[in-house]
Short mmCIF file of all heavy atoms in Angstrom, two decimals:
data_model
loop_
_atom_site.label_atom_id
_atom_site.label_comp_id
_atom_site.label_asym_id
_atom_site.label_seq_id
_atom_site.Cartn_x
_atom_site.Cartn_y
_atom_site.Cartn_z
N ILE B 201 -17.96 77.77 -11.48
CA ILE B 201 -18.72 78.57 -10.52
C ILE B 201 -18.15 79.98 -10.41
O ILE B 201 -18.88 80.98 -10.42
CB ILE B 201 -18.74 77.87 -9.15
CG1 ILE B 201 -19.55 76.57 -9.22
CG2 ILE B 201 -19.34 78.79 -8.08
CD1 ILE B 201 -19.49 75.74 -7.96
N TYR B 205 -20.50 82.96 -11.56
CA TYR B 205 -21.11 83.70 -10.46
C TYR B 205 -20.15 84.69 -9.80
O TYR B 205 -20.58 85.56 -9.04
CB TYR B 205 -21.63 82.72 -9.39
CG TYR B 205 -22.76 81.86 -9.88
CD1 TYR B 205 -22.51 80.63 -10.49
CD2 TYR B 205 -24.09 82.26 -9.73
CE1 TYR B 205 -23.55 79.83 -10.94
CE2 TYR B 205 -25.13 81.46 -10.18
CZ TYR B 205 -24.85 80.25 -10.79
OH TYR B 205 -25.89 79.46 -11.23
N PHE B 214 -22.59 80.84 -1.41
CA PHE B 214 -22.50 79.62 -2.20
C PHE B 214 -23.87 78.96 -2.40
O PHE B 214 -24.08 78.23 -3.37
CB PHE B 214 -21.53 78.62 -1.54
CG PHE B 214 -21.18 77.45 -2.40
CD1 PHE B 214 -20.25 77.58 -3.42
CD2 PHE B 214 -21.77 76.21 -2.18
CE1 PHE B 214 -19.92 76.49 -4.22
CE2 PHE B 214 -21.44 75.13 -2.98
CZ PHE B 214 -20.51 75.27 -4.00
N GLU B 215 -24.83 79.21 -1.46
CA GLU B 215 -26.15 78.59 -1.56
C GLU B 215 -26.91 79.05 -2.80
O GLU B 215 -27.83 78.35 -3.27
CB GLU B 215 -26.99 78.90 -0.32
CG GLU B 215 -26.46 78.30 0.97
CD GLU B 215 -25.30 79.12 1.55
OE1 GLU B 215 -25.01 80.20 0.99
OE2 GLU B 215 -24.71 78.67 2.54
N SER B 216 -26.57 80.20 -3.35
CA SER B 216 -27.28 80.70 -4.53
C SER B 216 -26.81 80.07 -5.83
O SER B 216 -27.40 80.29 -6.88
CB SER B 216 -27.12 82.22 -4.62
OG SER B 216 -25.75 82.57 -4.80
N VAL B 217 -25.74 79.30 -5.78
CA VAL B 217 -25.21 78.65 -6.99
C VAL B 217 -26.13 77.50 -7.39
O VAL B 217 -26.65 76.77 -6.55
CB VAL B 217 -23.78 78.13 -6.73
CG1 VAL B 217 -23.24 77.40 -7.96
CG2 VAL B 217 -22.87 79.29 -6.35
N SER B 218 -26.34 77.34 -8.67
CA SER B 218 -27.18 76.26 -9.19
C SER B 218 -26.64 74.90 -8.76
O SER B 218 -25.42 74.70 -8.69
CB SER B 218 -27.24 76.34 -10.71
OG SER B 218 -27.89 75.20 -11.24
N ARG B 219 -27.57 73.98 -8.48
CA ARG B 219 -27.17 72.64 -8.06
C ARG B 219 -26.35 71.91 -9.13
O ARG B 219 -25.56 71.02 -8.81
CB ARG B 219 -28.40 71.81 -7.70
CG ARG B 219 -29.10 72.27 -6.43
CD ARG B 219 -30.26 71.36 -6.08
NE ARG B 219 -30.93 71.79 -4.87
CZ ARG B 219 -30.59 71.42 -3.65
NH1 ARG B 219 -29.56 70.64 -3.48
NH2 ARG B 219 -31.27 71.86 -2.60
N TRP B 220 -26.57 72.25 -10.39
CA TRP B 220 -25.81 71.60 -11.46
C TRP B 220 -24.33 71.93 -11.37
O TRP B 220 -23.49 71.17 -11.87
CB TRP B 220 -26.35 72.05 -12.82
CG TRP B 220 -27.76 71.59 -13.07
CD1 TRP B 220 -28.89 72.35 -13.00
CD2 TRP B 220 -28.18 70.28 -13.40
NE1 TRP B 220 -30.00 71.59 -13.28
CE2 TRP B 220 -29.59 70.30 -13.53
CE3 TRP B 220 -27.52 69.06 -13.60
CZ2 TRP B 220 -30.34 69.18 -13.86
CZ3 TRP B 220 -28.26 67.95 -13.93
CH2 TRP B 220 -29.64 68.00 -14.05
N TYR B 221 -23.98 73.04 -10.75
CA TYR B 221 -22.58 73.41 -10.54
C TYR B 221 -22.11 73.07 -9.13
O TYR B 221 -20.96 72.65 -8.94
CB TYR B 221 -22.38 74.91 -10.79
CG TYR B 221 -22.62 75.34 -12.23
CD1 TYR B 221 -23.81 75.95 -12.59
CD2 TYR B 221 -21.66 75.13 -13.20
CE1 TYR B 221 -24.04 76.34 -13.91
CE2 TYR B 221 -21.88 75.52 -14.51
CZ TYR B 221 -23.07 76.13 -14.86
OH TYR B 221 -23.29 76.52 -16.16
N SER B 222 -22.98 73.30 -8.15
CA SER B 222 -22.55 73.12 -6.76
C SER B 222 -22.41 71.65 -6.37
O SER B 222 -21.52 71.31 -5.59
CB SER B 222 -23.54 73.82 -5.81
OG SER B 222 -24.82 73.23 -5.89
N MET B 223 -23.28 70.78 -6.89
CA MET B 223 -23.23 69.37 -6.49
C MET B 223 -21.93 68.69 -6.90
O MET B 223 -21.28 68.04 -6.06
CB MET B 223 -24.44 68.63 -7.06
CG MET B 223 -24.54 67.19 -6.59
SD MET B 223 -24.78 67.06 -4.81
CE MET B 223 -26.47 67.67 -4.67
N PRO B 224 -21.49 68.76 -8.19
CA PRO B 224 -20.20 68.13 -8.52
C PRO B 224 -19.04 68.70 -7.71
O PRO B 224 -18.14 67.96 -7.30
CB PRO B 224 -20.04 68.42 -10.02
CG PRO B 224 -21.42 68.66 -10.51
CD PRO B 224 -22.14 69.32 -9.38
N PHE B 225 -19.05 70.04 -7.50
CA PHE B 225 -17.96 70.65 -6.73
C PHE B 225 -17.96 70.15 -5.29
O PHE B 225 -16.91 69.84 -4.73
CB PHE B 225 -18.09 72.17 -6.77
CG PHE B 225 -17.09 72.87 -5.91
CD1 PHE B 225 -15.77 73.04 -6.34
CD2 PHE B 225 -17.45 73.35 -4.65
CE1 PHE B 225 -14.85 73.68 -5.53
CE2 PHE B 225 -16.52 73.99 -3.85
CZ PHE B 225 -15.22 74.15 -4.28
N THR B 226 -19.16 70.07 -4.67
CA THR B 226 -19.25 69.62 -3.28
C THR B 226 -18.78 68.17 -3.14
O THR B 226 -18.02 67.84 -2.23
CB THR B 226 -20.69 69.77 -2.77
OG1 THR B 226 -21.11 71.13 -2.90
CG2 THR B 226 -20.79 69.33 -1.32
#
Side-chain angles (χ1 to χ4, degrees):
I201 293 173
Y205 295 89
F214 191 78
E215 295 80 5
S216 63
V217 177
S218 172
R219 290 183 180 272
W220 295 104
Y221 295 101
S222 63
M223 185 63 70
F225 175 79
T226 303

